[in-house]
Amino acid sequence: MNPADPPVRSSRRVVLAHYGEVGLKRGNRLSFERRLRDRLREGLEHAGLKARVALTQGRYAISLPSDDALPRAMSVVTRIPGVANASAAYVVEPEIEAIQEAAATALAEAPPGSFKVETRRADKSFPLNSIEVSQAVAPACLERSPRAVDVHDPDITVHVSILKDAAYVSAARVPGPGGLPVGSTSRLLSFLSGGIDSAVATWLMMRRGARVTAVHFHNRTHEGTAVLEKLEDVCGVLAWSAGRMPMLVVPFEACQRAIVGLVPAEYRMIVYRRAMLRIADQLGRTERALGIVTGDSLGQVASQTAENIRTIHEAATLPIYAPLVGSDKAEIVALARRIGTFDISIRPHADCCSFLIAKHPATVSNIHEIRQFESAVDWDAVVAEAVAGTEKTVHLPDPDALGA
Ligand code: ATP
Ligand code: MG
């Protein structure tokens, strides 16, 4: 060895990722574990990282070419549905001295504050039980990094996992989204308006394992193209969950013009939304989607009163998922910030739903009356024209959205 070379490290680090809900699956756990592994591999590849993802005893150990890549890998991994938490962990031989050394190092690198040690043994043949390991590790930590011990509410938890061939030690677990890896359930269409709510609703359904195709209804004359740039950026963020994000842009101006000619201004919003659902039922067939996601939140705006939601949803044959229906706006905003869509969503844009509508849209609607207004529209032609003009693009994860 050249004397100028840095010393060979006695331990190396990996990103250690745990799943939560995947662990509850009994019969098909293996296929969930594999799917999550595939999502992790895909995400790391999109981030330009040459990583090796190994599934060992219910956790993923992700090896990277150098420790410099750890922050970027952590940023990717903690965005992937199915991941409950991840940490940059030291990997050592499953021997108590090596574990003590790694734990002392990990804690010394952690921010100040109280701590405790928590040990899990996947390998029960280890000579010490979990409590004995923690009792042996804590004094070694304190020697290097004197601080208070707090077993009930510590600022830092040093996690020790002992497996058959290795032990993992870390002092900073970062929560992931939880939920299930994308692909665990069938495809849904998600109505993406460019606003705050629909991006969050889309993310929530991806977190439940759904593959999602975004759908935007676009009035070129009214909205211009700024909204499309926003949607591309939103898809670039959301694609970190899924690996890729297809989007359909549906030309909506002809449909809206037909409606404007026949429906009074205060009811147009309702009829626009019903028209979107009619078109989506057709798109669902070609996309093989089994449901429609919207960002509706009960009572938030005129189109979201219980009366109007009933009238609007009545036009769909596919089931509608509105995961924000019971959420408070402040909660939705907090989630939008967390997932990274908020700053994009607040960029100004015109929404097709504001096209020639009344200043005060009706908050109550009568389905018979609405059907009466709609009866003069040639829906087959309107839907066919919109479907024929629909353009599909596929968006990959945006590295600029990683922040690491
Ligand atoms: P968002 O913040 O998502 O825009 P919102 O609270 O502003 O929602 P609305 O504008 O009434 O509510 O729209 C309700 C839902 O209808 C949206 O969350 C979205 O799912 C869907 N939607 C509205 N406009 C469009 C559009 N142009 N294209 C696709 N979906 C739309
Ligand atoms: Mg909106």
Side-chain angles (χ1 to χ4, degrees), residues 185-356:
T185 184
S186 289
R187 186 169 292 281
L188 302 174
L189 298 180
S190 190
F191 281 13
L192 210 56
S193 64
I196 298 167
D197 302 339
S198 48
V200 174
T202 306
W203 183 85
L204 283 170
M205 298 319 294
M206 291 168 117
R207 190 173 68 161
R208 295 309 306 154
R211 293 180 201 277
V212 169
T213 300
V215 182
H216 179 72
F217 296 88
H218 186 231
N219 184 326
R220 258 170 296 192
T221 48
H222 177 65
E223 290 179 273
T225 54
V227 68
L228 300 181
E229 281 162 33
K230 280 183 74 169
L231 291 167
E232 273 173 30
D233 291 350
V234 168
C235 287
V237 172
L238 295 176
W240 283 111
S241 300
R244 66 210 297 274
M245 181 87 185
M247 177 168 69
L248 305 176
V249 176
V250 184
F252 205 44
E253 56 268 12
C255 178
Q256 291 198 284
R257 272 199 305 271
I259 291 168
V260 166
L262 296 163
V263 180
E266 64 269 35
Y267 293 116
R268 281 176 196 155
M269 165 83 87
I270 292 168
V271 179
Y272 293 159
R273 301 281 311 279
R274 282 169 60 85
M276 290 180 188
L277 291 169
R278 286 192 167 96
I279 296 166
D281 271 336
Q282 286 297 319
L283 297 174
R285 282 184 206 167
T286 41
E287 285 294 304
R288 296 207 231 172
L290 302 187
I292 294 167
V293 183
T294 75
D296 287 317
S297 180
L298 187 63
Q300 200 192 79
V301 290
S303 61
Q304 295 166 9
T305 61
E307 290 83 352
N308 285 345
I309 285 181
R310 181 184 63 165
T311 308
I312 291 166
H313 289 194
E314 192 264 352
T317 54
L318 286 172
I320 294 177
Y321 297 84
L324 299 174
V325 75
S327 296
D328 179 80
K329 188 76 187 187
E331 289 165 0
I332 301 170
V333 165
L335 199 46
R337 285 188 199 279
R338 203 185 108 204
I339 65 176
T341 54
F342 182 77
D343 288 340
I344 306 168
S345 294
I346 58 171
R347 283 171 6 205
H349 79 278
D351 189 314
C352 71
C353 284
S354 59
F355 180 64
L356 295 178

